[in-house]
Amino acid sequence: MHVHPYERTWIIISVALMMVFGVAIVISSLSLGIEIPGLSARLAPVVADGLASDEPWVRELGPGRYEANVFAQMWAFQPTEIRVPAGSTVTFYLHSRDLIHGYKILDTNVNLMAVPGQVNKVTATFDRPGEYLIVCTEYCGVGHQAMFGRLIVEEPNALL
Ligand code: CUA
């Protein structure tokens, strides 16, 4: 089969680029710990462990360590507002009550998908005081653009 030299050149460039992107995805996912939701986080019909609970909450595990059990549903997050002191490490457990939503805390690395029947988990440390907008990043219906929450990272002495 005859392939025109220009076409051959572009085929080679395209395949090389795809390989570069593939390697970049593998390296970044390994080094940053990015992974797709796995069977390990799938909810059993009866929820027995501390990983999942029907109620939204934020709790302090110890000095500077928090856990947040977050629910996404059309078209709100619960809890709507999360407050922690600066320097805190927060583990988020994210659930969906209906369909797929996103959970992106702007200006941070927290960016999860809320998948029905699945608990997604991420741990992040928030050093910079301020108010962070949390937005839904998956189109989820007519109220999608109004689906947001807030993370408030307070100056450490503001809580004294
Ligand atoms: Cu929830 Cu978009």
Side-chain angles (χ1 to χ4, degrees), residues 75 100-102 136-140 144 147:
W75 290 282
I100 291 180
H101 298 276
C136 177
T137 50
E138 295 290 333
Y139 183 72
C140 56
H144 163 71
M147 185 167 173

Coordinates of all heavy atoms in Angstrom, one line a residue, residues 75 100-102 136-140 144 147, ligand 1:
W75 N -29.8 20.2 43.9 CA -28.6 20.8 43.3 C -27.9 21.5 44.5 O -27.9 22.7 44.6 CB -29.0 21.8 42.2 CG -29.5 21.1 41.0 CD1 -28.7 20.5 40.1 CD2 -30.8 20.9 40.5 NE1 -29.5 19.9 39.1 CE2 -30.8 20.1 39.4 CE3 -32.0 21.3 41.1 CZ2 -31.9 19.8 38.7 CZ3 -33.2 20.9 40.4 CH2 -33.1 20.2 39.2
I100 N -24.6 11.6 38.8 CA -23.2 12.0 38.9 C -23.0 13.5 39.0 O -23.6 14.3 38.3 CB -22.4 11.5 37.7 CG1 -22.3 10.0 37.7 CG2 -21.0 12.1 37.6 CD1 -21.6 9.4 36.6
H101 N -22.3 13.9 40.0 CA -22.0 15.3 40.3 C -20.4 15.5 40.3 O -19.7 14.5 40.4 CB -22.5 15.9 41.6 CG -24.0 15.8 41.6 ND1 -24.8 16.8 41.1 CD2 -24.9 14.9 42.2 CE1 -26.1 16.5 41.3 NE2 -26.2 15.3 42.0
G102 N -20.0 16.7 40.3 CA -18.6 16.9 40.5 C -18.4 17.7 41.9 O -19.4 18.3 42.4
C136 N -19.9 22.2 41.4 CA -20.2 21.0 40.7 C -19.7 21.1 39.3 O -19.9 22.0 38.6 CB -21.7 20.7 40.7 SG -22.2 19.2 39.8
T137 N -18.9 20.1 38.9 CA -18.2 20.1 37.6 C -18.8 19.1 36.6 O -18.2 18.9 35.6 CB -16.7 19.8 37.8 OG1 -16.6 18.7 38.6 CG2 -16.0 21.0 38.5
E138 N -19.9 18.5 37.0 CA -20.5 17.6 36.0 C -21.9 18.1 35.8 O -22.7 18.4 36.7 CB -20.6 16.2 36.6 CG -19.3 15.5 36.8 CD -18.6 15.2 35.5 OE1 -19.3 15.0 34.5 OE2 -17.3 15.1 35.5
Y139 N -22.3 18.3 34.5 CA -23.7 18.8 34.2 C -24.7 17.8 34.8 O -24.7 16.6 34.5 CB -23.9 19.0 32.7 CG -25.2 19.6 32.5 CD1 -25.5 20.9 32.8 CD2 -26.3 18.8 32.0 CE1 -26.8 21.4 32.7 CE2 -27.5 19.3 31.8 CZ -27.8 20.6 32.2 OH -29.0 21.2 32.0
C140 N -25.6 18.4 35.7 CA -26.5 17.5 36.4 C -27.9 18.0 36.3 O -28.8 17.7 37.2 CB -26.0 17.4 37.8 SG -25.8 18.9 38.7
H144 N -27.7 22.9 37.7 CA -26.3 22.6 37.8 C -25.5 23.9 38.2 O -24.6 23.8 39.1 CB -25.8 22.0 36.5 CG -24.4 22.1 36.3 ND1 -23.5 21.3 37.0 CD2 -23.6 22.8 35.5 CE1 -22.2 21.5 36.7 NE2 -22.3 22.4 35.7
M147 N -25.3 24.9 41.8 CA -24.8 23.9 42.8 C -23.5 24.3 43.3 O -22.5 24.1 42.6 CB -24.9 22.6 42.1 CG -24.6 21.4 43.1 SD -25.0 19.9 42.3 CE -24.4 18.7 43.6
Ligands
CUA1 CU1 -24.4 18.7 40.3 CU2 -23.8 19.7 38.3

